[in-house]
Amino acid sequence: MLDAVDAALIRALQGDGRATYQALADGVGLSRTAVRARVKQLVGAGAIRIVGVLHAGVLGMEVFAHISFRVSGPVGPVLEELAGREAVVFAAHTAGRFPVVAHVRVRDDEALAKELGALRSLSGVVGAEAFRGGAIAKDAYSSVRELREISIDPLDWRLVRHLQRDGRASYAELARQVGLSQAAARSRVVRLIEAGVIHVTAIAEPAAVGASEQVGFGLRCRGDSAAVAARLGSLSGVSFLATGFGRYDVIGSASAADRPSLVEALEAVRGCPEVTYVETWEHLAVTKERYGGDSVPAA
């Protein structure tokens, strides 16, 4: 069972997975040695993974869409097909009006139309409705950040791949892996992070951090949907928000340790004066979940 200090460390690592042990110690009021031991315990127990998450825009996959599927027959085969598609970054068996939902990332609207056509042709799918995302307002796993223009060479890509596997790899280890000096490796990693190319974060196992109850929601609202999403982003339990257009104005997800806490989070969403309609779906089983851009060009 995680205590308040563990929870605080996880939040800090989600913001900056490469924060020094001293900075983490200062934040929780423990010694550097104690914090180092706690972080290693969290990783060793599988409560968190500290990895680099590549900005999807680096690979040109800037168009995001949420797809709701109507399915005839068992949903398992449909989920298996979705899990095998490169454009699908998230797929889940859900309880609600639609038995399956998925998120896709593609290069442009032409590619989105082509992907939707392919998804609607899958065996068992009898209909699919799309929400075309405009902007990600909140993402607990891949901080919402601006991608600055930057030149990336093969050595940078090699560093990115190592950070995707181990976000807290030391600069000495990274330098050995790519054949640079420690100072050069550090300079390149800092440059990549500051440009928004990669975000090093702690990805938590939901059950380990008390977030085993998860729901998705779609909202219609009055006024500026971006302002509504910004307000909702401050609510406890809300882990993802995106504005866009289609069947909803905003989609999101919320997680909590138990049903009462989840109900409380959804009630807070419903309590926003600008929200006029709320549709929810429970995530019964997540078949695929990929963070940011997982694939990088070959060296």
Side-chain angles (χ1 to χ4, degrees):
M1 178 67 69
L2 304 184
D3 61 19
V5 172
D6 289 330
L9 286 172
I10 291 172
R11 286 194 297 272
L13 289 166
Q14 285 175 328
D16 180 6
R18 291 190 67 82
T20 65
Y21 287 119
Q22 189 59 58
L24 295 170
D26 292 342
V28 298
L30 292 179
S31 71
R32 182 180 180 279
T33 301
V35 164
R36 181 185 179 93
R38 279 184 178 250
V39 171
K40 288 186 175 296
Q41 171 63 24
L42 288 169
V43 173
I48 60 172
R49 292 184 296 121
I50 303 176
V51 298
V53 177
L54 188 65
H55 194 298
V58 175
L59 302 178
M61 312 302 276
E62 301 209 38
V63 172
F64 163 83
H66 169 94
I67 318 296
S68 305
F69 293 90
R70 290 189 297 275
V71 175
S72 175
V75 302
V78 174
L79 287 165
E80 288 179 12
E81 290 279 357
L82 292 174
R85 297 194 66 83
E86 179 62 26
V88 175
V89 296
F90 175 87
H93 184 182
T94 54
R97 192 150 65 98
F98 298 91
V100 174
V101 300
H103 293 171
V104 302
R105 276 197 174 275
V106 292
R107 188 169 299 278
D108 52 31
D109 284 327
E110 181 179 353
L112 177 58
K114 184 176 180 179
E115 182 67 19
L116 275 171
L119 294 177
R120 288 182 173 125
S121 299
L122 294 179
S123 178
V125 171
V126 295
E129 296 185 19
F131 165 91
R132 200 285 197 186
I136 305 298
K138 182 176 184 179
D139 189 339
Y141 299 115
S142 179
S143 73
V144 177
R145 63 203 189 278
E146 180 184 357
L147 177 63
R148 300 203 325 248
E149 181 125 4
I150 181 176
S151 174
I152 306 176
D153 65 20
L155 279 175
D156 291 325
W157 286 123
R158 288 174 65 187
L159 287 167
V160 164
R161 281 194 292 273
H162 287 296
L163 289 170
Q164 286 179 307
R165 290 193 292 268
D166 179 4
R168 286 189 71 81
S170 69
Y171 290 117
E173 174 63 21
L174 291 170
R176 283 194 298 272
Q177 293 287 344
V178 301
L180 292 171
S181 70
Q182 186 171 328
R186 184 184 188 282
S187 176
R188 283 176 177 262
V189 169
V190 169
R191 172 174 163 270
L192 290 167
I193 291 174
E194 289 183 345
V197 171
I198 193 165
H199 171 61
V200 180
T201 186
I203 296 176
E205 170 60 35
V209 297
S212 52
E213 299 285 348
Q214 299 179 62
V215 297
F217 55 81
L219 312 176
R220 296 181 197 141
C221 55
R222 63 172 68 90
D224 183 358
S225 61
V228 173
R231 177 182 297 187
L232 296 177
S234 65
L235 297 178
S236 175
V238 174
S239 54
F240 178 83
L241 288 164
T243 59
F245 52 88
R247 200 152 48 89
Y248 312 111
D249 299 314
V250 177
I251 65 160
S253 61
S255 58
D258 50 46
R259 285 299 175 94
S261 299
L262 194 62
V263 169
E264 184 177 341
L266 288 173
E267 284 293 272
V269 170
R270 294 177 188 276
C272 179
E274 289 78 21
V275 172
T276 59
Y277 171 81
V278 179
E279 181 176 343
T280 61
W281 49 89
E282 183 179 2
H283 293 163
L284 299 175
V286 175
T287 301
K288 183 177 184 180
E289 191 164 23
R290 202 170 76 204
Y291 305 101
D294 280 358
S295 302
V296 300

